Each structure stands twice: as structure tokens, then as C-alpha cells.
Amino acid sequence: MNVATDSPRRQELIRVAARLFMQQGFDRTTVRMLADAMGIKSGSLFHHFADKQEILCAVIEDSTRNALVSARKAVSRADATSRSQLLALARVHLDTLHDDRHAHGVALYEWRRLNDEDREHLTHLRDAYEALWYQVIDEARQAGLVQGDSAIVTRFALGALNWTARWFDPDGPMDTARLADELVDMILIPSP
Amino acid sequence: MNVATDSPRRQELIRVAARLFMQQGFDRTTVRMLADAMGIKSGSLFHHFADKQEILCAVIEDSTRNALVSARKAVSRADATSRSQLLALARVHLDTLHDDRHAHGVALYEWRRLNDEDREHLTHLRDAYEALWYQVIDEARQAGLVQGDSAIVTRFALGALNWTARWFDPDGPMDTARLADELVDMILIPSP
DNA sequence: AGCATAACCAAGCAAGCGCTAGGCCTGTTG
DNA sequence: CAACAGGCCTAGCGCTTGCTTGGTTATGCT
């Protein structure tokens, strides 16, 4: 077992696993399916991961960490106005969500299959992401652009966006930028 | 096998199954766990259901059908104004969601474990529910109380509400009525 | 009494599961 | 050259899974 290394082979496996976990769910994806999809035998998987749980954790951790980095970049690049920052957050959220949609789908749908240890660890990552949103939304509230409680609005916003994973078709007529606009319009009080 | 009847015993099983499916997930809940929780042997389960899949389908169908009935009642009882109707919908949505939270949690989390046949059947039910929301929101838009596309706003609203299943604590300091107020305030343009 | 039916049990089958053990190549390093 | 390590394979162990079969018991109807 070579478990802790970050080899390219391991990265590739995480990508493949994300796809299968999304298509069939974690519990129904067997180690043999994963191995087949990689062109190796099932036993060889455990050269890269200690157990199946670790693969799930790696899939979610990778994608979440990546989303956090992208979101921070987007905020720092955007104009200082609340509307611009919020729009930047919404856009990059939808883009990462539907771009790396297998892995993020896993993070959304298979969260509860994590064991307690991994879940706690990943909760901190997710909290950091949510804190970024809270910060931007609370600034908007202080500027009078948002009514209501910032924490609730933050969670409503993230819920609305994450729910798009269930109905939005990236290959359809609508694009993510349009969705982001609609979300920001819904949250912010219209400036006359 | 007595499969199609609607005996009280079957109803009780559906309730128990909802709890276990929510706590451990569908795939990790074995027929032996279900039987234990009911005080019977695993084989006896198949007197009430053709297979395990049918139990999942029954859990989701029951709760969804119930939610649809409640929502229709709430709309017909509310004042004719858009705000009242939307508020009524949001309140009853959150109440059924957190009241019958095991079953609705299953509908949200375990949707993808349905087989194709069952899923299509239940999609129609869910569409009917969504249509009710669309109707109310589109009327609000025609009255100038909502900006943006009605279909998108509808899905944003339902996403925001369903997401509460992940963070809202019914035993905490906040109540569902407050949440419903916040949602309606977020969706409707503030009346001056 | 005679019968039907619903609800359940005991026992177990065939398949599939995660994971392990030990060994085989191949390329890199001293 | 030898030593090593990363990546993989073969073979299979021990266990759990959903589900089946044939039979038993309790209840109520005629």
C-alpha cells in the first residue's frame, strides 16, 4: 500500500471514481467496477487507497478544496460592490458545480455515506466556503441591499444553487451566467 | 405475497422503513434491519412487499402524495393575494418537510436509488407539486411582485426550502414560520 | 365444524461484497 | 551489476446480501 502519496495515478482514479459514484451512488459502485473503469484488477486499487471510504473522501475533498480556491479568487478579482462580488460568487459556484459536476454531485448526494471522522474533517472545509458567502451577503445587508437575516439568506442562496444540480441541463438552452443573474436579482433588493 | 393491499401493517412498515432509510440510507438498510425494527423475521417482509425497491417507492410516494394534498388545501384556504398564497405554500412545505421528516428526507436523499420505472411514476407526482408552486409564483410575477423567470424562481425557492433539511434544527431556537417569512421576503419585491 | 385468509417463521441458497496475501514485472538509483 | 520501489496481478477468504420455499399459527366468516 502506497496510500498517502499524491501520484498522478491516484488523481486519475479519483476522477474516475467521481464519475462512477455520481452515476450509481457510492454503495452501489463496487471496487470491481472502479478497477474495471481504470483497466486494472480490483485488488490493485488498494495499492492507492487504504479502503473504499478513502476514495469517497478524496473525491469530495479534492472538489471542495478546488471550489474554495476558485471562489476566493473570484471574490478578490471582482469589483468591490456587493452586487459584483455576489455575482462573481454565484457564477463561479455554478461553473465549478457543473464543470466538475461528477465530483460535486458526489459531495452533495453522497455526503451521508462518509464515516464520522472524514465527515467532520470535510465539514470544516465546507464551513470555510459557506463563510465566504456569508461575508459577502452580510456586507450587502449592511449596505441595505439585502433584507432579512444574513445567515438564512446565505443558506437559501446555496440551497437554491445546489438544487440546480437536480434540474439544470448544462447542454440545454440556458447558461449558468443567466442563472447567476437571476439568483442575484432574487436576493438583492432591486435598485431603482 | 400479499403485495398490493394497503393493510395497516404495511403502513406501519412504511413508517419504520422511512426512519431507517433516513438514518442509514437505503442501500445500507438491510431487510434484516427492517424486519428487526418491526419485530418480525426478514423473510416475512416479502409478504407485504414484492421486493426492497417497492418499500422505498412506497415511502416516497406516501409522503409526496400527502405533501401535495396539504399544499392544495393550504392554497385554497389562504387569501387570494400572492403574498398570502406564497406564504401558505412555504409554511406548509416546511411543516410537512420537518414534521414527516424521515420520509421526506428519504425522498430528497434517496431519490436516485429508485429504479427507472418507479422514478418516472414519482416524477409525475413531484411535477404536480412543482406546478402548484409555479402557478402561484407566476401570478405574483404578473402582478409585478416577482422579477425574473417564474420557472427559475420556482426552482430556486424549492431548492432553498429543501436545503433546510440539511441545516435547520426543528428543536432549535428558530421556527419554520420565521423561515417561511424570510423566504417570501427574499422572493417578492418589497412593497413600498 | 369447516374453510379461507393474513401474518408470520425456520432454514438456507446463490451471488456479490470488501479486502488480503504473496508474487511478478519494469524502470530508476547507487 | 544489485537493490529497491511503484504498480499491478492471481486467487481467494469470510462474510453479508436480497430473496425463496414450504410450512405453521391465529382470526374471523359461513
Side-chain angles (χ1 to χ4, degrees), chain B residues 127-148:
Chain B
D127 284 351
Y129 185 81
E130 202 172 301
L132 198 60
W133 274 80
Y134 177 83
Q135 203 177 309
V136 170
I137 285 179
D138 198 52
E139 269 170 29
R141 188 193 55 79
Q142 285 168 33
L145 294 171
V146 162
Q147 60 177 330

Side-chain angles (χ1 to χ4, degrees), chain B:
Chain B
M1 298 174 208
N2 191 18
V3 158
T5 66
D6 229 15
S7 66
R9 201 81 179 107
R10 187 180 150 112
Q11 284 302 112
E12 200 180 338
L13 240 162
I14 291 174
R15 242 194 46 248
V16 169
R19 201 187 76 236
L20 291 186
F21 287 168
M22 187 54 189
Q23 284 165 355
Q24 347 232 0
F26 175 72
D27 287 326
R28 293 190 184 175
T29 304
T30 67
V31 293
R32 279 165 247 263
M33 291 179 193
L34 289 170
D36 275 359
M38 281 291 287
I40 59 178
K41 297 294 170 183
S42 72
S44 308
L45 270 182
F46 299 92
H47 174 73
H48 301 277
F49 299 92
D51 52 30
K52 198 187 164 195
Q53 281 288 330
E54 193 180 289
I55 309 181
L56 176 62
C57 183
V59 166
I60 297 182
E61 176 159 3
D62 263 34
S63 61
T64 308
R65 208 176 282 283
N66 181 44
L68 182 56
V69 170
S70 300
R72 280 186 175 143
K73 258 190 220 157
V75 167
S76 69
R77 271 207 288 260
D79 292 349
T81 70
S82 282
R83 175 169 278 269
S84 295
Q85 300 224 334
L86 203 55
L87 196 57
L89 269 185
R91 278 193 179 148
V92 81
H93 186 101
L94 287 168
D95 281 345
T96 43
L97 178 63
H98 292 105
D99 197 68
D100 191 9
R101 91 187 101 110
H102 294 315
H104 281 97
V106 172
L108 294 179
Y109 289 119
E110 308 294 331
W111 183 264
R112 320 193 67 236
R113 275 80 197 174
L114 288 165
N115 60 38
D116 296 341
E117 197 180 351
D118 289 343
R119 182 163 46 235
E120 200 191 344
H121 164 227
L122 292 174
T123 296
H124 291 138
L125 255 183
R126 220 193 40 178
D127 284 351
Y129 185 81
E130 202 172 301
L132 198 60
W133 274 80
Y134 177 83
Q135 203 177 309
V136 170
I137 285 179
D138 198 52
E139 269 170 29
R141 188 193 55 79
Q142 285 168 33
L145 294 171
V146 162
Q147 60 177 330
D149 182 85
S150 298
I152 296 181
V153 172
T154 298
R155 278 156 167 168
F156 278 170
L158 287 173
L161 290 180
N162 287 333
W163 195 252
T164 62
R166 303 224 182 187
W167 58 269
F168 178 69
D169 175 16
D171 302 324
M174 208 187 310
D175 64 341
T176 53
R178 164 79 188 285
L179 275 183
D181 285 342
E182 291 261 5
L183 182 92
V184 172
D185 284 344
M186 183 174 79
I187 292 177
L188 295 186
I189 292 173
S191 45

Side-chain angles (χ1 to χ4, degrees), chain A residues 3-4 11 19 30 34 39 47 60 63 81 85 89 91 98 115 118 142 146 156 172:
Chain A
V3 160
Q11 285 302 112
R19 201 187 76 234
T30 69
L34 289 170
H47 176 71
I60 298 182
S63 60
T81 69
Q85 300 225 333
L89 270 184
R91 278 194 179 147
H98 291 106
N115 60 37
D118 289 342
Q142 285 167 35
V146 161
F156 278 170

Side-chain angles (χ1 to χ4, degrees), chain A residues 5-102:
Chain A
T5 66
D6 228 14
S7 67
R9 201 78 179 110
R10 186 180 150 113
Q11 285 302 112
E12 201 180 337
L13 239 162
I14 291 174
R15 240 195 49 248
V16 170
R19 201 187 76 234
L20 292 186
F21 287 167
M22 186 54 189
Q23 283 166 354
Q24 346 231 6
F26 175 71
D27 287 324
R28 292 188 186 177
T29 305
T30 69
V31 293
R32 278 165 248 261
M33 291 179 192
L34 289 170
D36 275 0
M38 281 291 287
I40 59 178
K41 297 292 171 183
S42 70
S44 308
L45 269 182
F46 300 93
H47 176 71
H48 301 278
F49 299 92
D51 51 30
K52 197 187 164 195
Q53 280 289 329
E54 193 180 289
I55 309 181
L56 177 62
C57 184
V59 166
I60 298 182
E61 177 159 4
D62 264 33
S63 60
T64 308
R65 209 178 282 284
N66 181 44
L68 182 56
V69 170
S70 300
R72 281 186 177 142
K73 257 190 222 157
V75 167
S76 70
R77 271 207 291 259
D79 292 348
T81 69
S82 283
R83 175 171 278 269
S84 294
Q85 300 225 333
L86 202 55
L87 196 57
L89 270 184
R91 278 194 179 147
V92 81
H93 185 101
L94 285 168
D95 280 347
T96 44
L97 178 62
H98 291 106
D99 197 68
D100 190 10
R101 93 187 100 112
H102 294 315

